[in-house]
Amino acid sequence: MTGGRQLNLRSLQSMALAGGMNGVMIGNYLTSKGSDPHDDLTMLRDLGRTRTMPNVQ
């Protein structure tokens, strides 16, 4: 789930994660401003989700 989620889902973003969505891009996006990364990480932590880092070689 990426750009537009703050506008379209607002407070329902966590429901998408609880319903099976398995990925979130945090911070700013390519062409639009995103939410505060700390808010996104708090949402993930509140849902008991973990985060992974990209495997860059």
Side-chain angles (χ1 to χ4, degrees), residues 1-49:
M1 182 163 56
T2 58
R5 66 184 165 94
Q6 296 84 2
L7 176 64
N8 295 306
L9 295 176
R10 295 181 298 279
S11 64
L12 301 176
Q13 294 178 62
S14 60
M15 291 182 74
L17 283 163
M21 182 189 66
N22 64 1
V24 175
M25 181 182 288
I26 66 170
N28 294 329
Y29 310 116
L30 183 61
T31 60
S32 62
K33 184 170 173 39
S35 59
D36 185 321
H38 296 288
D39 293 340
D40 289 336
L41 294 173
T42 297
M43 177 179 62
L44 293 173
R45 188 173 44 252
D46 289 348
L47 291 168
R49 292 302 206 56

